[in-house]
Amino acid sequence: MKTAYAWLVVNGFIESEKFRQIFSWLVEAAEKQQCILEIKTNTQLLPKLVMGEEELLTGCRRPQFVIFWDKDVRLARLLEKLGLRLFNCAQSIEICDDKARTHLELLDQKIRMPKTIIAPKTFRMEGYPNLDFLQQIESQLGFPMVVKECYGSFGQQVWLVPNEKELSDCLRGIQNRPFLFQEYIAASKGSDIRIQMVGTEAVAAMHRYHAHDFRANITNGGSMEACQPNDAQLKMAKKVMETLKLDFAGVDILFGEHGEPVLCEVNSNAHFINIWKCTGVNVADAIVEYCLRNIRVLS
């Protein structure tokens, strides 16, 4: 079998051990499948890529594909302009990175999500000098409600707000960063299911739960157990992947009042160390196999 050559594009400013482990697992998974996966950082690539020049990859071995494990969407779009096939593509990464954009893209797809109101944009550095608009939001969603910044990971920048005063205080803390208001799904307090999807296939899943926090994230002290998603959860995860044109992602699903699935969030480059610890499934193998299969089909 002819050896393939690809790039793994990562952020040059992230140095945590958890990220390094993910990157090394992807490189090892590629090696097992006769593929050289070379790590490139956005700090290495962007200074070389002068926009407008005919050949921006002069002096570089051209990769057959790119696993783009970053959220630097401008670099992703630039690489796509060069004709490179990215997994995930720039548009999918951009949609998933913005929780409001994710909601908008899925709004007409018959996917149940919490009732959501996008916060009005403000240009003032101090945020909202006038909070009169909150009365309508309170009447629509009630208390408690969830407030989420549009950009954030690991359950951070997410608050459960119990009353009007704390809602006002929360907004003053957020200032002018984009955020949204959401219905609180009380039946799913501290509990969700993370389905690790590759293409339209669920390769692993875990139930996450937290006894003392409304968020189920493991990073915030939650626990986990392997689980088998039911048909309704799998149908939702597949629909999300198809609609957002994702190659791989972590799809987080809440539990409605009668156990029905309610979409929480979609992570285009979800960490897979915890799900490996929980299920024994190395998602890196499935990601690389999927990329190679799709490239060979297209070539």
Side-chain angles (χ1 to χ4, degrees):
M1 182 184 295
K2 186 178 179 181
T3 301
Y5 174 70
W7 287 354
L8 171 61
V9 174
V10 307
N11 192 283
F13 300 105
I14 293 178
E15 298 182 349
S16 77
E17 179 58 33
K18 197 169 189 178
F19 277 95
R20 283 197 293 267
Q21 190 173 3
I22 287 170
F23 304 155
S24 68
W25 282 19
L26 286 165
V27 171
E28 291 167 8
E31 185 178 353
K32 286 187 289 186
Q33 299 181 58
Q34 288 77 50
C35 176
I36 298 170
L37 186 62
E38 185 176 356
I39 295 177
K40 298 282 188 180
T41 67
N42 59 339
T43 53
Q44 291 172 325
L45 291 174
L46 279 168
K48 296 179 181 179
L49 301 180
V50 182
M51 290 185 286
E53 292 190 356
E54 286 187 12
E55 182 51 71
L56 305 183
L57 291 177
T58 303
C60 294
R61 182 179 176 185
R62 189 177 184 88
Q64 292 167 269
F65 65 91
V66 175
I67 297 178
F68 200 89
W69 209 272
D70 193 13
K71 295 182 179 180
D72 196 332
V73 293
R74 295 173 182 84
L75 173 58
R77 291 192 179 280
L78 189 51
L79 294 177
E80 287 177 339
K81 288 283 187 181
L82 300 175
L84 298 180
R85 170 65 160 96
L86 269 58
F87 300 86
N88 285 297
C89 70
Q91 181 173 332
S92 296
I93 294 169
E94 189 170 24
I95 290 170
C96 291
D97 192 33
D98 180 344
K99 294 176 177 63
R101 179 84 184 276
T102 304
H103 189 86
L104 289 169
E105 294 291 331
L106 297 173
L107 200 55
D108 59 350
Q109 296 299 313
K110 297 182 180 178
I111 293 172
R112 183 177 170 190
M113 298 179 282
K115 294 178 184 177
T116 299
I117 299 174
I118 298 172
K121 183 177 178 63
T122 176
F123 292 97
R124 301 178 62 89
M125 288 304 294
E126 61 268 30
Y128 295 95
N130 184 327
L131 296 177
D132 292 346
F133 69 94
L134 288 182
Q135 294 178 3
Q136 296 180 61
I137 291 168
E138 292 167 17
S139 67
Q140 292 281 348
L141 302 180
F143 289 111
M145 74 172 69
V146 175
V147 176
K148 292 182 181 180
E149 290 190 25
C150 291
Y151 300 95
S153 302
F154 309 113
Q156 299 173 7
Q157 296 89 42
V158 181
W159 301 271
L160 183 61
V161 179
N163 54 52
E164 185 176 351
K165 182 184 181 303
E166 291 200 28
L167 179 60
S168 299
D169 292 343
C170 185
L171 265 62
R172 291 189 181 96
I174 293 173
Q175 295 187 339
N176 67 340
R177 297 187 296 274
F179 68 100
L180 49 79
F181 307 90
Q182 271 191 342
E183 168 194 14
Y184 175 48
I185 307 299
S188 199
K189 179 182 178 181
S191 181
D192 71 7
I193 180 172
R194 157 68 61 86
I195 305 178
Q196 203 83 36
M197 299 289 293
V198 179
T200 56
E201 299 297 321
V203 298
M206 62 180 173
H207 174 219
R208 306 185 298 183
Y209 55 96
H210 199 305
H212 307 293
D213 197 312
F214 75 100
R215 299 163 298 180
N217 303 76
I218 306 303
T219 307
N220 295 325
S223 300
M224 57 188 176
E225 60 185 3
C227 70
Q228 178 58 49
N230 61 38
D231 290 345
Q233 292 163 340
L234 289 171
K235 182 179 179 181
M236 175 177 282
K238 182 178 179 179
K239 182 71 171 179
V240 166
M241 297 295 290
E242 292 173 338
T243 303
L244 301 184
K245 297 180 172 58
L246 285 156
D247 297 302
F248 48 83
V251 180
D252 298 342
I253 298 176
L254 303 173
F255 303 94
E257 186 177 354
H258 303 290
E260 70 277 13
V262 181
L263 182 69
C264 180
E265 293 180 3
V266 187
N267 192 327
S268 63
N269 54 352
H271 288 200
F272 48 73
I273 303 299
N274 284 334
I275 208 161
W276 169 77
K277 291 177 181 178
C278 183
T279 67
V281 176
N282 185 346
V283 177
D285 293 328
I287 290 173
V288 172
E289 191 276 332
Y290 172 89
C291 294
L292 288 170
R293 184 173 72 250
N294 278 272
I295 286 300
R296 285 164 184 154
V297 167
L298 294 173
S299 62

